[in-house]
């Protein structure tokens, strides 16, 4: 019996929209901004900071990122990212402990809850051109081309995921179900996951 | 409108069973052993040789494999694997050209048919323990532990896929839908893909 749906997604794939619609359709609690808010409260960090640092490496450059994670001149100091990870992990474990079926978006919840057998882990992805079109439509143009913005986001998310989970991001084997939202369409993705959740 | 379903699968995941049941359910032509037979006829190679060499690198050792692919003392000679790949590719392209909806199992069909927009590309995987249990049940014990046999198969398939497609094997982004047959169950996998195919 599954109780929790974790939704990991590529930036611009529509994964968040799919997650929200699944929650609405199945009448499940939905943790996305709410989760960010809780982590912000517990850490004292600003929500925007939590939103960014809680899923993305500071830099897409591995060396610069590794350097930024050194605690400073004193050994054994915690970086802000490590502290954020610890609190985020705690909040996600607490949400899972509640007696409440729910959808959790991103934040490595698939990994953090890997020892539970009541999670259905979903990954939503889409081809680059579809994601580029989507982010320009939703967030507007910027001085960087959309593809460049996506490559940067992908790289930083991959680094972050590797650092805290030791796993490669986007590998099929990490998820129970991976869906291409462009080929399948948002509605089919929502239907497939909702129907499956009711059966498992 | 989708016309062809390609099913890539991890060894021992039940992917072949799922593919066959999808074909039966949707009443589609089914290319698996049939494809091997066609390639065997065109190359003159034995079916067992085609079955093995058409999806797996000869060795899981990258260097030994690369070496085995040298044509010999004369430059520009074709290795048996390269020849097999060329014929296999031709046969798959010809199958796709027929005016007949079908399911094609393995053999990099997802990559070979990448320029068509009427393919639904599926990947079936399962955790190591489930696959080990399955291959012992289906093929019996051998002197090597099941996990070792699977690791070797995975490695050789990954090498083969990389050599001929340039891609990493098992990456979500290569497929429209990736399913964990252990978590979802064979029947749910068949249902999800069949329903989706009818809608797309």
């Amino acid at each position: 019996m599954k109780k929790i749906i974790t939704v990991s997604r590529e930036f611009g794939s529509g994964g968040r929209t799919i997650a929200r619609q699944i929650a609405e359709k199945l009448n499940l609690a939905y943790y996305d901004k709410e989760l960010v808010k809780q982590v912000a409260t517990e850490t004292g960090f600003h929500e925007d900071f939590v939103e960014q640092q809680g899923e993305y490496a500071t830099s897409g450059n591995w060396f610069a990122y590794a350097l930024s994670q050194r605690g400073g001149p004193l050994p054994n100091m915690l970086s802000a990212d490590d502290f954020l990870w610890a609190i985020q992990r705690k909040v996600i474990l607490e949400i899972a402990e509640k007696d409440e079926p729910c959808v959790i978006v991103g934040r490595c919840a698939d990994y953090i809850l890997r020892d539970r057998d009541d999670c259905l882990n979903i990954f939503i992805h889409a081809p680059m051109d579809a994601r580029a079109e989507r982010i320009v439509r939703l967030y507007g143009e910027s001085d960087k081309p959309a593809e460049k913005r996506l490559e940067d986001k992908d790289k930083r998310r991959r680094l972050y995921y590797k650092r805290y989970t030791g796993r490669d991001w986007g590998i099929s084997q990490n998820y129970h179900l991976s869906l291409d939202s462009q080929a399948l369409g948002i509605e089919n993705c929502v239907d497939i996951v909702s129907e499956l959740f009711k059966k498992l």
Side-chain angles (χ1 to χ4, degrees), chain A:
Chain A
M1 179 78 186
K2 301 291 181 194
K3 210 190 76 178
I4 299 169
I5 303 176
T6 72
V7 179
S8 309
R9 74 285 178 227
E10 283 188 328
F11 188 65
S13 68
R16 178 170 271 169
T17 304
I18 291 169
R20 201 184 49 239
Q21 292 189 12
I22 292 169
E24 281 167 12
K25 196 157 185 169
L26 294 172
N27 205 16
L28 305 178
Y30 177 65
Y31 290 98
D32 179 9
K33 300 282 174 193
E34 187 51 40
L35 177 55
V36 170
K37 213 174 281 179
Q38 281 191 38
V39 174
T41 306
E42 294 216 23
T43 55
F45 290 145
H46 192 280
E47 283 179 30
D48 291 349
F49 181 83
V50 175
E51 179 97 51
Q52 274 302 311
Q53 302 295 110
E55 285 192 303
Y56 297 99
T58 325
S59 156
N61 178 309
W62 177 85
F63 187 70
Y65 180 52
L67 215 64
S68 78
Q69 292 308 304
R70 292 185 56 215
L74 294 174
N76 276 331
M77 280 191 67
L78 212 60
S79 72
D81 280 12
D82 291 343
F83 173 55
L84 186 54
W85 165 262
I87 301 296
Q88 200 161 267
R89 180 174 169 277
K90 184 179 82 81
V91 169
I92 288 173
L93 288 170
E94 282 168 2
I95 288 172
E97 278 307 309
K98 289 191 205 176
D99 198 20
E100 167 203 61
C102 65
V103 174
I104 305 177
V105 177
R107 322 229 135 230
C108 307
D110 56 307
Y111 173 81
I112 291 167
L113 303 177
R114 68 193 177 285
D115 291 333
R116 301 183 65 105
D117 56 9
D118 58 356
C119 292
L120 179 63
N121 299 321
I122 308 292
F123 182 63
I124 308 288
H125 56 91
M128 183 57 92
D129 54 346
R131 296 197 288 143
E133 189 274 324
R134 188 179 171 90
I135 67 165
V136 168
R137 183 157 45 83
L138 290 184
Y139 311 114
E141 301 273 1
S142 85
D143 44 350
K144 258 204 239 169
E147 282 79 5
K148 193 83 203 65
R149 282 153 70 192
L150 286 169
E151 275 166 19
D152 181 56
K153 282 268 193 185
D154 289 352
K155 212 165 162 187
R156 286 166 53 212
R157 192 169 279 172
R158 199 169 298 123
L159 266 177
Y160 183 91
Y161 194 78
K162 185 75 180 182
R163 175 178 169 88
Y164 289 105
T165 73
R167 294 184 188 175
D168 292 321
W169 190 66
I171 298 287
S172 306
Q173 287 87 343
N174 292 346
Y175 310 98
H176 299 131
L177 195 59
S178 304
L179 308 112
D180 178 332
S181 59
Q182 165 71 2
L184 273 51
I186 300 273
E187 202 184 319
N188 282 326
C189 292
V190 173
D191 288 350
I192 288 172
V193 178
S194 308
E195 287 309 307
L196 186 62
F197 185 75
K198 285 191 238 166
K199 287 190 204 169
L200 293 179

